Amino acid sequence: MTVRRSVVRGCGAYLPKTILTNNDLAKRVDTSDEWIVQRTGISQRHIAADGEFTSDLGLASAKAALADAGLDAGDIDLIVVATSTPDYTFPATAVTIQAALGITNGAAFDLQAVCTGFVYALTVADQMLSSGLHERALVIGAETFSRILDWEDRGTCVLFGDGAGALVLESVAVDDGNGIDDRGVLAARLRADGRHCDKLYVDGGPSRTQTVGHLRMEGREVFKHAVTMIAEVVDDLMDATGLTADEIDWFVPHQANRRIIDGSARKLGLSPEKVVITVDRHANTSAASIPLALSEAVGDGRIKQGDLVMLEAMGGGFTWGAVLLRW
Ligand code: ACO
């Protein structure tokens, strides 16, 4: 029997040039490098320049992913952009990127699941490719969270950064699919529980306030739920696929906070050397953090073709989820 798999053909990333260190932040709010590093593992973050927008970051990452894949923009017939910081309320940032790439066919849309956005976008794109609806997709996570931060709130402004990452996926027909041995997206789980919507949110929006608003968070509450939710969804995926932690080659978590990442890996029994960490240099780039981390680990030769990779994320909503893929 023939099955279709969404296989990763390439990946790319983009980080804005300006770096804001913890010491830079300590000049603006009552904080210190020591406090931020100890509680979060973050040392610095990248900040988009004036006039540099989410679509610009996403476009740069998309071009890098296309170059890595050895494909032209015209080969793409689906663009999904995961973002909570779009250029405009509408049209979608995805169509701005589509136009800048010179693509006029296929579909392009944004998807918003906050920090879980990339896991949601990858899952949706995989379904659209494996059903045969589209051939090749750009799945992009792009954010300018610096634009929705309250720079006087030391409890949140130290945690986030700007950036973008992208994957090129291709729908490939596999004769007699070998399940877990195939390349491509193998399984996914998506979750949401809106009862927690007031624990991490932005206090503005077109319908309620006609403003953009600022990010608000009950940090302790988020922290309390994060490890449990992440471990539950990854465990579910491992049970469903019959895998053990030892069989996972790379764990690429959403980069929210070093303590959440370490706690999740410990709970799942994943050894620290399998965990890809970028939060120290990128901070939390929301939907961009996973493709940024993937690009880094592929670029430096850690993740290789054939490796089994587990992605996971948790964020506002709450939303959370995991994707298992063979690179
Ligand atoms: N510098 C110095 N002191 C600070 C800072 C700061 N940047 N921020 C808060 N404090 C102070 C508080 O005012 C408080 O002071 P007080 O005791 O005098 O009132 C004290 O530190 C403790 O504050 P808490 O909020 O209780 O600190 P906590 O130990 O919980 O750490 C943190 C805060 C780092 C936000 C933690 O709760 C956390 O990591 N939560 C997870 C949140 C997260 O990662 N969110 C990202 C988005 S969600 C996601 O992507 C999964």
Side-chain angles (χ1 to χ4, degrees), residues 50-101:
D50 287 346
E52 192 176 38
F53 308 121
T54 294
S55 61
D56 298 315
L57 276 54
L59 176 65
S61 71
K63 284 180 174 171
L66 284 168
D68 185 48
L71 292 171
D72 295 324
D75 296 321
I76 300 297
D77 63 354
L78 173 65
I79 301 177
V80 187
V81 176
T83 187
S84 301
T85 47
D87 285 20
Y88 297 107
T89 301
F90 78 81
T93 301
V95 300
T96 305
I97 294 173
Q98 185 205 32
L101 287 171

Side-chain angles (χ1 to χ4, degrees), residues 29-32 35-36 39-40 115 153-156 158-160 200 215 217-224 226 230 254-257 259-260 284 286 313-316:
V29 286
D30 184 12
T31 190
S32 66
W35 192 97
I36 302 170
R39 306 285 175 117
T40 71
C115 297
D153 175 12
R154 67 179 181 171
T156 54
V158 303
L159 301 175
F160 297 91
L200 176 54
L215 185 147
M217 180 179 72
E218 290 178 38
R220 285 204 166 199
E221 282 296 308
V222 176
F223 197 92
K224 205 171 78 187
I230 291 163
H254 164 53
Q255 309 282 319
N257 178 311
R259 290 190 298 158
I260 294 175
N284 182 346
S286 192
M314 181 267 183

Side-chain angles (χ1 to χ4, degrees), residues 233-305:
V233 77
V234 174
D235 263 338
D236 185 20
L237 208 45
M238 291 206 287
D239 283 350
T241 48
L243 286 169
T244 63
D246 288 346
E247 291 168 283
I248 307 287
D249 294 306
W250 295 104
F251 183 58
V252 186
H254 164 53
Q255 309 282 319
N257 178 311
R258 183 69 201 243
R259 290 190 298 158
I260 294 175
I261 295 172
D262 290 348
S264 309
R266 235 187 342 264
K267 197 160 177 163
L268 289 160
L270 290 155
S271 55
E273 60 272 14
K274 290 181 173 182
V275 183
V276 178
I277 305 276
T278 55
V279 70
D280 51 332
R281 288 154 292 124
H282 301 173
N284 182 346
T285 56
S286 192
S289 87
I290 289 177
L292 272 163
L294 279 171
S295 291
E296 183 169 292
V298 170
D300 65 21
R302 274 178 289 171
I303 298 180
K304 297 183 195 63
Q305 190 170 314

Side-chain angles (χ1 to χ4, degrees), residues 15-20 44-48 161-163 281-282:
L15 288 161
K17 281 193 186 60
T18 301
I19 290 175
L20 189 67
Q44 61 170 52
R45 68 287 293 142
H46 291 250
I47 302 292
D162 300 336
R281 288 154 292 124
H282 301 173

Side-chain angles (χ1 to χ4, degrees), residues 4-8 76-82 107-111 116-141 166-172 184-186 188 190 323 325:
R4 298 200 81 83
R5 293 280 189 208
S6 309
V7 174
V8 179
I76 300 297
D77 63 354
L78 173 65
I79 301 177
V80 187
V81 176
F109 63 95
D110 288 0
L111 182 156
T116 320
F118 192 77
V119 165
Y120 267 63
L122 190 54
T123 306
V124 168
D126 170 49
Q127 295 297 313
M128 294 175 78
L129 293 181
S130 55
S131 68
L133 197 58
H134 293 270
E135 296 267 321
R136 286 185 207 89
L138 265 168
V139 185
I140 303 168
L167 293 188
V168 175
L169 292 184
E170 183 169 48
S171 179
V172 174
V185 175
L186 299 172
L190 301 180
V323 172
L325 60 103

